[in-house]
Amino acid sequence: MRVAVEFGKSKIFTALVFSIHKTAPVGYEAKDIHQILDETPVVNKIQLKHWEWIASYYMCSLGEVFRAALPSAFLLESETEIQLVAGFSNEKDLNDDEFLIFEALQHQSQLSIFKVIEILGKKSVFSVIKNLIEKGVIVVKEQIYEQYKPKLIKYIRLTEKWSSSEKLTELLELLSRAKKQRELILTFFQLQSLKKPIKVEQLKTQAQCSSAVIKALVDKEIFEFYFIQKDRINFAGKSSEIKQLTTFQEEAFLSIKKSYEQKQVTLLKGITSSGKTEIYAKLIKEKLEEGKQVLYLLPEIALTTQLIERLQLYFGAYLSVFHSKYSMNERVEVWSNVNENKKKAQLILGARSSLFLPFSNIGLIIVDEEHEPSFKQYDPAPRYHARDAAIVLANLHGSKVLLGSATPAVETYFNASQEKYGLVELNRRFGDVLLPEIELVDIKEKHRKKRMQGHFSDRLIEMIKDALDEKEQVILFQNRRGFAPVVECETCGVSPQCPQCDVSLTFHSYRKELRCHYCGYKQAMPYNCGACGSEKLNTKGFGTEQIELELQQLFPDSNVGRMDLDTTRGKYGYQKIIGQFEAQEIDILVGTQMLSKGLDFGNVSLVGIMNADTMLNFPDFRAHERSYQLMVQVAGRAGRTKKRGKVAIQTFNPYHQILQQVSTNSYEEMFKEQLDERWQYHYPPYYRIIKITLRHKDFNRVEEGANWLGKSFASIFKENILGPTTPAISKIRNYYIRHIIIKIPKKQHLPATKNAILKVKNSFQSVKEFRSIKFNIDVDNY
C-alpha cells in the first residue's frame, strides 16, 4: 500500500511499503508513517519482483522504477498547499490558531505550509493542520482523492411516491394544464420501457424540452436526479467474429502454437501487410477464453488509434487502452481495473509504460513492431527496453511472448537463428497482393540534367500525377520536421545557433520562427544576419513543412496533409489526421517516421521517400539496420489491398548496398552483413553495451571528470572501453555532455561487471569536484 511519509519539517512524499520487518535502522532514528493512503494494495508481489529486476538490470534505483510505474495521480508530495472547504460555517468550534488560518483562507484561495508557519509564528503546525482537516475546514490540495475525480453521469427517475404504473393517470391529470411537463412525462415512460437507466441529456433531446421543464418537475418532487459513476474508458462491447484466416495465416498460427510447446518466446517475421494482426487476434481470443489477461504492446500512440478500431470489433468488452496521451484520471481508472482483474481490462493495448500495470495472470504478451527504437526509454531512468522487460514479465507469470515484425531487430533475429526463440515466417501478403515495386531515383543525375523541381525529381512528380489521376492516395516520407534545418547567411556563412544547445535552429515557416528541436528554445526569424548584418539569408536542407508547401504549388487541386510532432500535439491529434486520410479527405500525406509504424491504409498506391541519404550517413552502429527497417516499413504502406503499389526512393547514391537490399527486400542479406560488421567491431548481439553519460554546465569540470572516469574504467576493462568521447551534439540545455561506452563480451560475468561499474561510480562521486556532475548509466543502449 501507499503511505505518506514526512521528510524534515515540511516535506511529505508518497512511498510504497515494500516489506514489513522489525529491524530498526542503524545510524538514524526512524520516523513514524504520516498516514496510510490505501485501503487495499495498489501494487502486487509479481510487480515488485519485476521492478526489482528492472532496477538491478538497468542499474537504477527501485524508487525510479516506482515513479515511472505509478500514474502521477497516485504520487502525493509537498510543497503542500491547503484550501478551504466550500460551505464551512461552524467557526465557533475553532481555537485561536485554527481561526487565524481559517481567516487567512478567506482572503487567499490557498496557503502553503510555509505561509502557515509565518501566520502562526511557530514551527510545529502539522497538528493544527491535522485538526483543521479532521474538523472538515480545509483540504490538502494535493490529496490524492482531490486529484482523481470519478466521472459522474446525471440520470433521472420518478420519485418513490410516483414510481408505480398505477399512478400514471393520476400524474397526467395533475399536469393536465402544464402541456410541456405532461409531454415530458410521456416521453419518460416511453424511454422507461427500454429497461435502461435514463440520462438527463437523453430525456432532454428525446422530448425536445429545456432544462427548466425538468427542473420544474424536480421541484414538484415528481422527478429526482441521481448519479452513476462511469469509467471514462469504455469501448462498445461488441465481440464480433474474427475473420477467417487464410491458409498461410492458419499455418503460421499453428506453427506459433507448436513452437510454444518448447519455447517461451516466438518471433513472427511476417512481411508488411501479411495480416499479422489477424493472427494476434486469434491468439488473444484463446487466452481471453481461458480467463487470462493479455498485454498488447505498441511502439507509438499513432498506431493505437487504428488498432483500437480493429480490436474493438472483436474484443470491445475486454479492451482497455493505456498510454501517455490519456489523462491522469483515465490512467488511474485503467490501473484500478487491472488491479481488480475486471473483465473490461482483460486485454490491455498500450505503449511501453503499460508494462507496469498490476497484472495478476497474464497469459500472453504481444510486442508488435518489436524492432522499433520507441520501445527503449532514454530519459529519465529507468532506461528500460520494453521488449526485454516484457519477456522477463512473461517469465514471472509463466506465460508466452510473441514478437512481431516485418524487419526484426538484428538481436532478435540472431536469438531466433540460435534457437533461443521460436521463429515463424509469413511470406505472403494478405489477398496475395505483390510487394510494392521499388524504384531508386538518382537525384545527382537529375540535378545535373536540371530535371528537379524544388526537392522533387521529374520521375516522382510523374508518379504522383498518375496516382492522383487514378484517385489513389500518396504518402511522402521525410524524416525531418520544420521547414529547413539550417538558415545560413550567403555573405558570411554564419547560421543562427541555439544559445543553450550545440545545434543550429530549425526554421518553421508557419509561425515564421526558428526553433531548437532539443530544448524548445524559439526566436522570431531574423531579417538580417546577426554576424555581418547582410539581408541575404538562405535556407539549407528541407523538412516536412517545405515539402507540404512545394506540393501545394505543384498540385494545387489536391489536399495535402502533414503528420509530424507539430501537427499531432494534443490528445486527438493522431486520430484527426489518420481519420481524414482514411476518409480520403487528404490526397497526399507528408510525414516523418510516424508514418512507418504499421499503419494500414487501403487506398495508398504510391510511397515516396524524399531523401534516403540522411538516414544512411548517421554516426551510429545501427544506422544501416535502422534505415533498412524504416524504408521497408514505409514502403510497406503501399498497395495493401487491391493492386501492387509503387515506391520511389530519391537518393544521391542508388548503388549503396542498403538501398539495393531494400529494393530487393533481402532482409537475410542485410542481417548477415550487419552480423559480420558487428563481430568485427565488437557490438551487440556479440557484446553487450553499457553507455555512461556525464553532464555538467561547466565545460572544464565535465572534461576533467570524463578523463578521470575513462582512466579508471580502462584500468579494469582494458581495450573494451570507447571514450570518453564528445557526442555529435555536445551541449544540450546548457549542459556539456561526454560519453563513455563499455563493451562486455558474452563470456564476461554481467553482475560482476555492473558491480565494478558501481564501485567506480561511488569513488567518482566521492571526489568533491565531481559530485555535481550528472552521471547516467544506460544498459543495452539500443
Side-chain angles (χ1 to χ4, degrees):
M1 297 186 196
R2 290 169 310 140
V3 290
V5 289
E6 212 178 315
F7 279 80
K9 283 280 159 69
S10 57
K11 290 238 187 296
I12 292 182
F13 293 97
T14 300
L16 193 74
V17 177
F18 183 72
S19 67
I20 296 170
H21 57 86
K22 290 271 192 289
T23 20
V26 184
Y28 65 93
E29 202 178 316
K31 292 182 98 172
D32 287 340
I33 283 174
H34 190 65
Q35 171 188 8
I36 296 178
L37 299 171
D38 295 314
E39 302 278 317
T40 54
V42 284
V43 168
N44 61 41
K45 284 201 174 107
I46 299 182
Q47 254 180 311
L48 288 176
K49 268 192 186 165
H50 190 226
W51 292 3
E52 282 184 277
W53 177 83
I54 289 178
S56 77
Y57 186 82
Y58 291 104
M59 297 173 80
C60 60
S61 68
L62 253 176
E64 286 169 321
V65 184
F66 164 67
R67 282 202 73 92
L70 251 67
S72 51
F74 277 153
L75 299 168
L76 153 79
E77 45 194 55
S78 54
E79 319 300 350
T80 311
E81 301 270 348
I82 58 171
Q83 291 174 319
L84 202 57
V85 172
F88 177 80
S89 55
N90 290 353
E91 294 147 48
K92 300 185 285 297
D93 300 349
L94 306 180
N95 65 29
D96 295 351
D97 283 350
E98 291 164 2
F99 188 74
L100 274 175
I101 296 173
F102 173 72
E103 211 171 27
L105 281 168
Q106 302 282 349
H107 304 293
Q108 267 177 298
S109 62
Q110 55 196 52
L111 292 174
S112 68
I113 297 292
F114 300 112
K115 271 273 188 294
V116 175
I117 292 172
E118 269 174 40
I119 293 166
L120 298 180
K122 57 179 178 185
K123 278 276 162 55
S124 53
V125 295
F126 266 101
S127 57
V128 181
I129 288 172
K130 189 166 167 273
N131 290 340
L132 282 170
I133 292 172
E134 281 167 6
K135 288 177 182 174
V137 186
I138 60 167
V139 286
V140 174
K141 190 190 168 195
E142 325 129 314
Q143 265 185 342
I144 287 103
Y145 352 106
E146 291 306 303
Q147 281 192 6
Y148 172 63
K149 292 191 177 67
K151 186 175 180 184
L152 296 172
I153 305 283
K154 201 174 186 184
Y155 286 87
I156 194 164
R157 62 185 168 208
L158 287 168
T159 51
E160 216 168 304
K161 182 183 168 191
W162 297 101
S163 58
S164 63
S165 47
E166 297 86 64
K167 297 267 185 175
L168 174 61
T169 38
E170 193 185 327
L171 188 56
L172 292 174
E173 268 169 38
L174 180 76
L175 299 173
S176 55
R177 290 192 174 171
K179 191 176 163 215
K180 277 272 193 295
Q181 292 178 11
R182 198 179 154 163
E183 276 174 21
L184 187 72
I185 293 284
L186 288 167
T187 314
F188 177 83
F189 276 101
Q190 273 174 350
L191 287 172
Q192 209 182 25
S193 64
L194 299 172
K195 302 264 190 304
K196 277 184 181 172
I198 297 164
K199 290 182 197 164
V200 175
E201 287 302 314
Q202 186 187 3
L203 183 60
K204 253 166 56 180
T205 34
Q206 197 82 9
Q208 293 172 348
C209 70
S210 65
S211 306
V213 182
I214 296 180
K215 192 174 180 305
L217 285 168
V218 172
D219 292 344
K220 287 182 181 174
E221 292 185 356
I222 293 169
F223 273 146
E224 63 181 0
F225 294 134
Y226 67 105
F227 294 89
I228 293 182
Q229 181 180 332
K230 179 177 185 295
D231 278 357
R232 287 173 170 77
I233 300 130
N234 261 329
F235 295 108
K238 288 179 187 153
S239 293
S240 57
E241 277 306 300
I242 294 171
K243 286 181 194 162
Q244 194 63 40
L245 297 186
T246 63
T247 43
F248 296 103
Q249 286 174 325
E250 189 65 46
E251 260 173 50
F253 172 73
L254 294 171
S255 309
I256 292 169
K257 301 264 293 182
K258 194 161 191 286
S259 102
Y260 279 153
E261 289 167 16
Q262 274 109 29
K263 307 268 194 318
Q264 186 214 348
V265 184
T266 297
L267 167 65
L268 171 60
K269 180 179 175 288
I271 56 173
T272 51
S273 186
S274 55
K276 294 189 283 292
T277 315
E278 301 305 325
I279 297 176
Y280 300 158
K282 198 160 175 191
L283 287 163
I284 292 170
K285 188 170 185 233
E286 285 193 355
K287 291 296 170 195
L288 291 179
E289 281 168 0
E290 290 171 22
K292 296 274 193 189
Q293 294 169 319
V294 178
L295 173 60
Y296 192 141
L297 285 177
L298 288 162
E300 267 298 334
I301 301 166
L303 264 179
T304 52
T305 36
Q306 263 204 333
L307 254 173
I308 289 169
E309 284 169 22
R310 286 173 77 171
L311 293 180
Q312 207 176 321
L313 288 173
Y314 304 152
F315 314 110
Y318 299 96
L319 178 66
S320 284
V321 177
F322 190 85
H323 56 63
S324 60
K325 286 269 167 91
Y326 266 27
S327 72
M328 203 157 53
N329 290 342
E330 288 169 333
R331 278 186 276 178
V332 170
E333 255 159 35
V334 176
W335 182 283
S336 309
N337 289 343
V338 174
N339 199 13
E340 291 161 28
N341 201 356
K342 284 194 177 166
K343 181 187 166 190
K344 63 157 67 168
Q346 290 286 102
L347 167 58
I348 299 289
L349 179 66
R352 60 174 184 244
S353 55
S354 48
L355 266 182
F356 293 119
L357 288 166
F359 295 106
S360 48
N361 64 340
I362 288 187
L364 173 69
I365 300 180
I366 294 171
V367 185
D368 199 7
E369 308 295 342
E370 62 82 32
H371 62 277
E372 275 296 338
S374 334
F375 277 128
K376 172 81 173 135
Q377 160 122 337
Y378 288 104
D379 267 316
R383 297 176 177 81
Y384 65 99
H385 196 296
R387 175 192 60 217
D388 302 345
I391 291 171
V392 174
L393 180 65
N395 202 4
L396 291 172
H397 281 272
S399 64
K400 304 295 182 195
V401 181
L402 182 62
L403 308 174
S405 174
T407 51
V410 166
E411 288 79 10
T412 308
Y413 198 65
F414 178 74
N415 280 335
S417 60
Q418 299 285 313
E419 297 195 355
K420 189 178 168 188
Y421 298 167
L423 173 64
V424 175
E425 300 204 30
L426 186 57
N427 295 325
R428 288 288 190 102
R429 276 187 142 190
F430 188 77
D432 283 345
V433 180
L434 287 172
L435 276 169
E437 181 186 335
I438 295 176
E439 191 174 319
L440 299 173
V441 180
D442 185 350
I443 44 180
K444 190 158 107 194
E445 186 71 5
K446 300 284 182 192
H447 272 293
R448 200 170 57 79
K449 293 183 175 169
K450 307 244 181 325
R451 287 192 180 160
M452 296 289 288
Q453 282 190 44
H455 295 98
F456 290 83
S457 59
D458 55 353
R459 179 71 188 123
L460 183 56
I461 293 173
E462 186 189 321
M463 289 167 91
I464 295 174
K465 271 188 185 141
D466 290 348
L468 294 175
D469 292 344
E470 294 281 326
K471 298 276 181 290
E472 288 160 349
Q473 290 166 295
V474 179
I475 285 179
L476 293 178
F477 170 78
Q478 168 62 5
N479 214 4
R480 273 284 166 98
R481 63 191 170 100
F483 184 86
V486 180
V487 175
E488 191 178 75
C489 167
E490 285 183 13
T491 313
C492 69
V494 168
S495 58
Q497 298 282 318
C498 170
Q500 302 168 24
C501 308
D502 185 15
V503 287
S504 55
L505 295 169
T506 303
F507 174 48
H508 284 245
S509 69
Y510 72 107
R511 284 212 175 127
K512 296 279 177 287
E513 66 184 13
L514 296 173
R515 265 202 204 159
C516 171
H517 285 179
Y518 286 82
C519 69
Y521 167 85
K522 49 182 185 253
Q523 66 176 62
M525 174 71 178
Y527 290 108
N528 48 16
C529 170
C532 71
S534 159
E535 289 182 3
K536 288 184 173 173
L537 293 178
N538 202 353
T539 56
K540 287 263 163 75
F542 60 106
T544 45
E545 261 184 47
Q546 193 166 341
I547 294 173
E548 186 184 22
L549 277 173
E550 284 185 16
L551 280 169
Q552 284 161 354
Q553 287 156 3
L554 288 168
F555 304 101
D557 303 334
S558 304
N559 290 331
V560 180
R562 175 161 59 90
M563 183 166 158
D564 55 29
L565 194 63
D566 301 314
T567 59
T568 53
R569 294 185 197 278
K571 189 171 171 184
Y572 299 108
Y574 293 103
Q575 264 150 312
K576 210 170 83 194
I577 295 169
I578 289 172
Q580 285 175 326
F581 196 64
E582 279 186 326
Q584 297 181 22
E585 288 167 23
I586 296 175
D587 302 312
I588 307 173
L589 182 61
V590 184
T592 54
Q593 42 85 18
M594 291 176 184
L595 289 174
S596 66
K597 314 274 169 88
L599 295 167
D600 185 13
F601 302 114
N603 196 33
V604 174
S605 66
L606 171 67
V607 166
I609 294 174
M610 298 304 294
N611 185 351
D613 307 315
T614 44
M615 297 182 280
L616 290 167
N617 309 328
F618 195 72
D620 176 16
F621 75 93
R622 276 205 164 66
H624 285 183
E625 176 194 347
R626 291 260 161 92
S627 353
Y628 176 87
Q629 288 165 341
L630 250 176
M631 283 188 256
V632 169
Q633 291 286 351
V634 173
R637 305 307 117 218
R640 291 174 74 94
T641 45
K642 301 184 282 286
K643 63 175 201 184
R644 189 176 185 188
K646 287 187 175 164
V647 179
I649 300 178
Q650 296 195 148
T651 169
F652 283 98
N653 179 8
Y655 300 105
H656 193 293
Q657 91 258 22
I658 287 288
L659 294 175
Q660 292 295 327
Q661 287 156 6
V662 169
S663 62
T664 54
N665 199 34
S666 36
Y667 175 84
E668 300 281 334
E669 201 179 301
M670 183 276 299
F671 172 71
K672 288 196 179 89
E673 232 165 67
Q674 288 302 308
L675 277 189
D676 291 348
E677 266 181 36
R678 296 195 190 176
W679 171 251
Q680 200 177 342
Y681 298 110
H682 297 182
Y683 278 111
Y686 299 109
Y687 279 63
R688 286 180 185 276
I689 281 186
I690 294 181
K691 180 176 175 186
I692 288 165
T693 308
L694 300 180
R695 298 197 337 263
H696 198 275
K697 289 189 174 178
D698 178 346
F699 176 83
N700 293 331
R701 186 168 296 187
V702 78
E703 186 72 18
E704 207 180 308
N707 291 334
W708 185 97
L709 205 60
K711 281 177 191 151
S712 308
F713 281 137
S715 66
I716 306 172
F717 301 114
K718 311 291 184 280
E719 72 280 358
N720 286 331
I721 286 285
L722 272 186
T725 55
T726 308
I729 292 152
S730 61
K731 181 177 134 197
I732 293 178
R733 292 200 166 100
N734 287 327
Y735 280 93
Y736 292 96
I737 304 169
R738 290 292 176 273
H739 286 163
I740 294 174
I741 286 175
I742 301 170
K743 295 176 175 178
I744 305 164
K746 272 275 159 69
K747 292 187 186 77
Q748 195 169 311
H749 189 242
L750 193 62
T753 308
K754 287 179 178 173
N755 285 338
I757 294 172
L758 289 175
K759 269 185 191 157
V760 174
K761 179 188 176 183
N762 291 337
S763 26
F764 176 78
Q765 287 176 331
S766 61
V767 177
K768 190 167 162 250
E769 289 76 50
F770 301 156
R771 204 167 295 150
S772 56
I773 297 177
K774 293 193 172 179
F775 189 113
N776 287 342
I777 302 177
D778 191 351
V779 180
D780 293 348
N781 178 261
Y782 293 161

